[in-house]
Amino acid sequence: MAIIVNLDVMLAKRKMRLKDLSEKVGVSVVNLSILKQGKVKAIRFSTLEAICEVLDCQPGDLLEYKK
């Protein structure tokens, strides 16, 4: 089982760069890059909420479960 992170897809849909998201959310580019690559082990709800607010999306748009 795996959780797939679709942050890159949402960034492309919103025509936004990772650096821009980083500045608006207040999370480092390095940490967002780790999240984008799916190598993150956990994410704070406050961070997820901030990302969803900036990208105008739902958590399910960013995270996907695949067997």
Side-chain angles (χ1 to χ4, degrees):
M1 74 181 150
I3 300 294
I4 309 301
V5 180
N6 293 315
L7 181 57
D8 53 344
V9 173
M10 290 306 301
L11 286 169
K13 284 182 179 179
R14 301 300 188 254
K15 296 180 178 152
M16 185 181 290
R17 296 180 315 162
L18 199 61
K19 182 181 178 192
D20 299 329
L21 180 64
S22 169
E23 291 170 358
K24 292 180 180 185
V25 173
V27 175
S28 73
V29 173
V30 172
N31 285 338
L32 286 177
S33 180
I34 292 169
L35 174 63
K36 188 173 101 169
Q37 295 172 27
K39 295 183 179 180
V40 70
K41 298 291 180 193
I43 183 170
R44 292 176 191 244
F45 280 158
S46 59
T47 303
L48 184 58
E49 180 181 3
I51 292 170
C52 287
E53 185 175 332
V54 170
L55 294 178
D56 189 30
C57 67
Q58 294 293 315
D61 297 328
L62 297 171
L63 304 173
E64 178 182 349
Y65 171 76
K66 287 196 178 181
K67 288 188 178 186

